[in-house]
């Protein structure tokens, strides 16, 4: 019997990299021309966040909540489950995250003026990265646009974009002299962080050059939260 330590992560993959790319090609073809509309809406929300429009955080939470619900049904259940039995579990987790984000949108989530500057910047960076990087990577690797993952329609960029929004949702209330978020908001973090690990492992098993993007995004988000707490609110917006 082959020893367990001789196995590689790719040995447990249920499909090939070509099959995974073909999955997105069929998915994007079926959804066209929804992608340009979703990208335009995402860009509009990010611009609203950059300009600190009061409606932008709530609208972004609603949009991402709907994106998680859509991805749970249209991608995981309707397509990914055909090649990966675990996709039904992924769909359940994505549905839960979508409901949580929609619930968060009902609450008062717009950050007050004294938000730690580095936290806000990293949140916007992650949102912009989730929107732009898949297209740039497809161009760099000479991959068809039909295989490109779109923020709001595909799980990976949606998870990264959600981490960006969660950084913007951190509340500047102080606990022990340090900025903190209301306790209930931390329930929004585990599923995107967990997906970054699962998605990164899947890409790594397929030897994709972008395999580390998701884990790095999760690490940057957590590091930003930790550093923001360590700043004690000294670096703040005017």
């Amino acid at each position: 019997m082959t020893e367990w330590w001789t196995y590689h992560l790719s040995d447990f993959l249920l499909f090939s990299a070509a099959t995974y790319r073909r999955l997105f090609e069929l998915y994007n073809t079926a959804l066209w021309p929804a992608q340009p509309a979703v990208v335009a809406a995402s860009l509009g929300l990010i611009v609203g966040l950059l300009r600190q429009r009061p409606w932008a955080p709530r609208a972004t939470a609603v949009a991402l909540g709907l994106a998680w619900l859509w991805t749970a049904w249209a991608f995981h259940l309707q397509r990914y489950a055909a090649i990966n039995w675990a996709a039904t579990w992924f769909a359940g987790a994505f549905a839960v995250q979508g409901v949580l984000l929609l619930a968060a949108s009902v609450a008062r989530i717009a950050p007050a003026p004294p938000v730690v500057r580095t936290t806000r910047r990293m949140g916007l960076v992650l949102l912009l990265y989730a929107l732009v990087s898949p297209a740039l990577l497809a161009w760099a690797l000479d991959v068809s646009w039909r295989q490109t993952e779109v923020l709001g329609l595909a799980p990976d960029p949606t998870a990264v974009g959600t981490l960006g929004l969660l950084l913007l949702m951190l509340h500047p209330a102080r606990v022990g002299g340090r900025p903190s978020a209301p306790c209930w908001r931390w329930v929004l973090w585990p599923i995107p962080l967990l997906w970054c690990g699962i998605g990164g492992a899947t890409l790594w098993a397929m030897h994709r050059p972008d395999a580390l993007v998701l884990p790095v995004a999760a690490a940057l988000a957590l590091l930003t939260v930790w550093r923001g707490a360590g700043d004690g609110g000294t670096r703040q917006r005017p």
Side-chain angles (χ1 to χ4, degrees):
M1 181 177 178
T2 305
E3 303 296 345
W4 64 268
W5 57 79
T6 63
Y7 286 93
H8 301 283
L9 187 59
S10 57
D11 295 325
F12 299 95
L13 198 64
L14 302 175
F15 46 86
S16 67
T19 300
Y20 193 69
R21 290 194 300 268
R22 177 63 175 167
L23 179 71
F24 277 100
E25 183 174 352
L26 294 174
Y27 180 53
N28 283 323
T29 300
L31 293 181
W32 180 262
Q35 292 86 343
V38 171
V39 170
S42 300
L43 186 58
L45 290 171
I46 292 175
V47 170
L49 290 169
L50 283 170
R51 296 183 176 180
Q52 301 182 53
R53 298 293 188 252
W55 52 264
R58 189 183 306 274
T60 306
V62 170
L64 284 173
L66 294 175
W68 281 82
L69 291 173
W70 170 264
T71 306
W73 176 76
F75 180 77
H76 286 303
L77 280 181
Q78 298 297 313
R79 291 168 174 82
Y80 199 21
I83 62 173
N84 188 351
W85 61 267
T88 54
W89 294 94
F90 299 157
F94 269 62
V96 169
Q97 183 68 21
V99 171
L100 289 174
L101 283 167
L102 290 177
S105 70
V106 178
R108 184 176 179 274
I109 64 172
V115 175
V116 177
R117 188 177 302 168
T118 54
T119 302
R120 175 179 174 79
R121 287 177 178 174
M122 181 55 66
L124 291 171
V125 165
L126 289 179
L127 272 168
L128 284 170
Y129 186 84
L131 179 64
V132 175
S133 66
L136 292 179
L137 183 65
W139 174 78
L141 298 178
D142 195 23
V143 174
S144 169
W145 69 266
R146 293 182 177 87
Q147 298 176 3
T148 302
E149 301 181 36
V150 178
L151 173 63
L153 300 177
D156 293 357
T158 300
V160 174
T162 300
L163 291 177
L165 174 66
L166 294 181
L167 289 176
L168 294 173
M169 287 172 62
L170 288 178
H171 195 279
R174 293 173 178 271
V175 176
R178 294 184 174 185
S180 177
C183 293
W184 68 265
R185 290 184 183 170
W186 295 111
V187 303
L188 300 172
W189 285 80
I191 293 177
L193 290 173
L194 183 60
W195 181 257
C196 285
I198 294 173
T202 301
L203 297 179
W204 182 270
M206 293 188 293
H207 307 289
R208 287 266 297 265
D210 56 336
L212 295 180
V213 168
L214 292 173
V216 168
L220 286 174
L222 290 174
L223 179 62
T224 302
V225 173
W226 178 78
R227 289 191 62 185
D231 287 339
T234 57
R235 290 186 296 174
Q236 298 178 344
R237 290 179 48 79

